[in-house]
Amino acid sequence: MNENIKLSRSLSLTAVVVYGMAFMALTTVFSTYGIASQISHGMVAGSYVLALVVMMFTAYSYGQMAKAYPVSGSAYTYAQKALHPYAGFLVGWAILMDYLFIPMVNFLLFGIFFSAAIPEVPSYVWILLLIIVVTFVNIRGVKLGASINMLVIGLSLLFLAVFCLLSIKSILQGEGTGVLVNLEPFFNTDESFKYIVAGAALLCFSFLGFDSVSTFSEEVKNPEKNIPRAIFLVTIIGGLCFVVVSYVAHNVWPNYMGFKDPDSAAYEIILLIGGNALQAAFLAITALVVFGSASASQASAARVLYAMGRDGQLPTGFFGKLHEKTRTPVNNILLIGVLSLSALFLSLTFVASFINFGALLAFTAVNLSVVALYFVKRKERSFKGVFCYLLIPLIGALMTTWLLLNLDGYSKVLGGVWFLIGVVYLYYMTKGFKKQPLLVNSDELV
């Protein structure tokens, strides 16, 4: 492998938006609906609106940092450059919780869905099959992955549209609330606002696709413009889809305690409005979406590892290399594939508990990075500067910290342990915080 090989700039704005939406997995609104409905006391749409507002502030900060540093690494790079190299490493370590565990979530779901549909084939066979296919696609390069994800996103949007239309038909026929205009999915005056907040803390998991966009900064044409645009588009499109679907789902089935099993609540609603045919379509679409999300998340994780390896914060000889022909971080892709084999024995609950902690910690750091870079270092302190580079990102940082504190105790404990391991590794790598890691000049990479 040649150290001078660079990532290939082959992605358009549309392609990188598709990657982000594939990572986000639009049908995740069904996977989390039952649990979110119980946590939010039926106000899932309200929780999604709150989560979307928080994510829009954070997406703004990601866009500002992507303009300044249009390179791979995402939150890791931004915190490293704007705050401190040590902060960058710890943020990168935290965000790896998401990027490494989200593929595992998808592999687990794939095994669960298909072993349920075809009981004769054990779930581990499906998991191994998907790991192999996803790893192969990502080694071949981002253009192949983008083409596949385009199909996945198109079918996902089609299914969401069919679900909403059938839900509206059922409501008009007297099912559920029997009304199309109803504020209770957003806010119920008989319930406390704290339930909306708790639901939003859980549902931030649904928005993780927007930050993955920034990991492709070195493979996108005109990244200074296209990455911020892509981040905004992924966030708003995904958020609006989640709000609309959860709104109609509540009006079809307003009794949030009436599900046989919260984990399969979406199946019960889908059966109610569309019968077995819609359930079969949902299974097929979910399988495709799981593949798309696993592919996008593995590709994103590989690029964060590549950025950290290139900077010497992970062993460069392994993590900081690109393949000469495909110009992809093959070592990292293969490593993530191997680590994903743990999906054969880890539980879905255990894996999912890691994800939101790392995401919200990284989101807070990116918001603070905007303040540190633009307001403090570059002294952008005009009226516009105070508003754009101090007020907006500080509001974003406060909101993400607020949601982080509202995570369940299990997630905070597991996340804290992972973060502590990162601190110990950083202490060892820097010989007791006395050595500065080697940083790459980002201008050379654009």
Side-chain angles (χ1 to χ4, degrees):
M1 294 188 186
N2 189 335
E3 293 184 6
N4 296 319
I5 297 294
K6 295 183 179 180
L7 292 163
S8 174
R9 283 205 188 281
S10 58
L11 294 179
S12 64
L13 172 62
T14 301
V16 77
V17 167
V18 167
Y19 255 106
M21 292 180 69
F23 193 129
M24 186 178 282
L26 295 178
T27 57
T28 192
V29 63
F30 296 113
S31 303
T32 57
Y33 182 79
I35 298 172
S37 188
Q38 291 193 346
I39 290 176
S40 66
H41 284 209
M43 298 178 287
V44 181
S47 292
Y48 267 123
V49 170
L50 178 58
L52 176 59
V53 170
V54 174
M55 291 303 104
M56 287 304 296
F57 277 95
T58 303
Y60 168 83
S61 292
Y62 267 89
Q64 296 304 313
M65 295 307 297
K67 290 178 183 177
Y69 302 111
V71 296
S72 294
S74 186
Y76 153 72
T77 297
Y78 306 151
Q80 176 207 74
K81 300 291 187 182
L83 298 175
H84 191 277
Y86 293 167
F89 172 83
L90 292 174
V91 169
W93 184 264
I95 204 71
L96 280 177
M97 292 170 63
D98 313 324
Y99 289 144
L100 292 177
F101 282 98
I102 284 178
M104 293 184 202
V105 169
N106 287 295
F107 296 137
L108 280 167
L109 289 174
F110 192 80
I112 291 169
F113 291 144
F114 271 82
S115 62
I118 310 174
E120 296 79 10
V121 180
S123 62
Y124 70 83
V125 174
W126 298 115
I127 292 172
L128 288 173
L129 178 63
L130 185 60
I131 290 174
I132 292 168
V133 173
V134 165
T135 302
F136 172 77
V137 168
N138 280 323
I139 287 174
R140 288 293 302 274
V142 291
K143 289 190 74 174
L144 176 60
S147 299
I148 294 172
N149 286 332
M150 188 75 76
L151 174 64
V152 171
I153 294 303
L155 292 173
S156 299
L157 289 171
L158 177 62
F159 183 84
L160 294 185
V162 171
F163 173 84
C164 290
L165 289 173
L166 291 177
S167 295
I168 291 170
K169 178 183 176 183
S170 296
I171 294 167
L172 292 176
Q173 291 174 346
E175 195 68 62
T177 62
V179 294
L180 291 178
V181 180
N182 179 18
L183 291 179
E184 287 190 359
F186 297 105
F187 181 70
N188 187 340
T189 54
D190 295 330
E191 301 286 358
S192 171
F193 184 71
K194 69 179 182 180
Y195 297 121
I196 294 179
V197 176
L202 169 72
L203 295 173
C204 280
F205 167 78
S206 305
F207 287 87
L208 292 180
F210 85 84
D211 69 304
S212 71
V213 166
S214 60
T215 67
F216 295 97
S217 290
E218 291 174 49
E219 294 158 277
V220 178
K221 301 166 186 175
N222 196 4
E224 292 88 348
K225 290 184 178 180
N226 285 335
I227 290 297
R229 290 173 181 171
I231 289 171
F232 175 81
L233 288 171
V234 169
T235 307
I236 195 69
I237 293 171
L240 290 176
C241 287
F242 298 149
V243 170
V244 171
V245 170
S246 58
Y247 175 80
V248 297
H250 175 89
N251 282 313
V252 168
W253 195 308
N255 182 10
Y256 64 88
M257 296 301 294
F259 300 115
K260 294 178 182 178
D261 180 1
D263 289 335
S264 60
Y267 284 96
E268 296 179 49
I269 297 174
I270 288 168
L271 180 63
L272 174 68
I273 66 168
N276 292 329
L278 191 63
Q279 273 197 329
F282 175 67
L283 180 65
I285 292 294
T286 300
L288 285 172
V289 168
V290 164
F291 167 79
S293 182
S295 176
S297 56
Q298 188 191 61
S300 296
R303 281 148 182 82
V304 173
L305 289 172
Y306 167 69
M308 296 180 75
R310 184 176 61 191
D311 290 355
Q313 298 204 7
L314 292 173
T316 303
F318 183 88
F319 292 99
K321 299 293 184 181
L322 296 174
H323 194 276
E324 292 183 7
K325 291 184 178 180
T326 63
R327 291 201 275 180
T328 54
V330 172
N331 289 346
N332 303 340
I333 293 169
L334 291 173
L335 175 63
I336 295 165
V338 171
L339 291 175
S340 294
L341 293 174
S342 60
L344 296 172
F345 55 84
L346 291 180
S347 72
L348 190 58
T349 302
F350 178 84
V351 173
S353 295
F354 274 92
I355 294 172
N356 275 339
F357 182 92
L360 291 170
L361 188 65
F363 292 167
T364 301
V366 172
N367 283 309
L368 294 176
S369 294
V370 173
V371 177
L373 177 65
Y374 288 96
F375 189 79
V376 177
K377 294 182 179 179
R378 296 187 178 179
K379 301 185 185 301
E380 298 276 359
R381 297 173 184 173
S382 63
F383 177 79
K384 177 184 176 182
V386 171
F387 182 76
C388 295
Y389 306 126
L390 180 65
L391 185 60
I392 292 178
L394 277 182
I395 292 173
L398 289 172
M399 285 183 167
T400 50
T401 302
W402 179 39
L403 292 183
L404 178 64
L405 294 175
N406 276 278
L407 288 176
D408 64 274
Y410 190 57
S411 297
K412 285 186 279 192
V413 169
L414 288 176
V417 170
W418 174 270
F419 189 79
L420 183 60
I421 292 171
V423 172
V424 172
Y425 176 76
L426 180 62
Y427 181 87
Y428 169 79
M429 179 180 67
T430 59
K431 302 187 185 303
F433 303 118
K434 296 177 182 178
K435 177 184 175 183
Q436 289 284 345
L438 176 66
L439 302 182
V440 172
N441 183 359
S442 60
D443 293 336
E444 299 173 357
L445 303 170
V446 179

